[in-house]
Amino acid sequence: MDATQLFKNLSLDTWYKALIYVGGAVFVASLFVDVKGLTNSQLQLLSGGALLLGLGEWKKHKEHSWIKPPNAYTGPAAIITETVRSPDFVGTLFDVVGVALILFGIVRILKAFLFQH
């Protein structure tokens, strides 16, 4: 195994991977650091939802490869790889739970803001 290929999947080349990193980092930080402006439980709901939403989208985006035959116009044969969004049950479940957590966090923030004494 090549050590350079070990961190290939950890690159921030898509929005859902960035959402995973930000959601995970904020979630872990909210476990250990007192935040101001929000409660830690509200921040954990928002960041946990972002983490699950990013994981669900990463699960849905799969790489698809095929061999392009040689052609006089496009050149020699080549292996083409592209990322295709292919929904499945687990990815959709992560998305639904992530969005629900984010919405629940927003409702708790609004309730605390509107009904404060």
Side-chain angles (χ1 to χ4, degrees):
M1 176 188 282
D2 187 15
T4 59
Q5 297 296 323
L6 187 62
F7 297 107
K8 181 181 175 192
N9 284 338
L10 299 178
S11 63
L12 291 175
D13 53 353
T14 54
W15 66 270
Y16 48 87
K17 289 183 183 178
L19 197 60
I20 292 170
Y21 291 132
V22 170
V26 171
F27 185 81
V28 169
S30 70
L31 292 174
F32 299 108
V33 177
D34 263 347
V35 293
K36 300 199 185 301
L38 296 174
T39 64
N40 281 22
S41 64
Q42 293 167 344
L43 189 59
Q44 288 166 0
L45 284 171
L46 293 174
S47 60
L51 176 70
L52 286 176
L53 183 62
L55 283 173
E57 285 301 316
W58 193 6
K59 174 85 172 77
K60 288 181 180 182
H61 286 77
K62 298 171 178 64
E63 284 191 351
H64 178 69
S65 299
W66 70 92
I67 297 175
K68 179 190 75 71
N71 188 319
Y73 301 106
T74 61
I79 297 176
I80 306 294
T81 302
E82 69 178 1
T83 303
V84 178
R85 187 172 191 270
S86 176
D88 59 356
F89 177 73
V90 175
T92 304
L93 181 68
F94 280 173
D95 281 350
V96 168
V97 172
V99 169
L101 285 175
I102 291 171
L103 290 175
F104 187 60
I106 291 171
V107 166
R108 286 193 53 187
I109 291 169
L110 290 175
K111 190 185 332 181
F113 177 72
L114 294 175
F115 297 115
Q116 65 183 345
H117 294 80

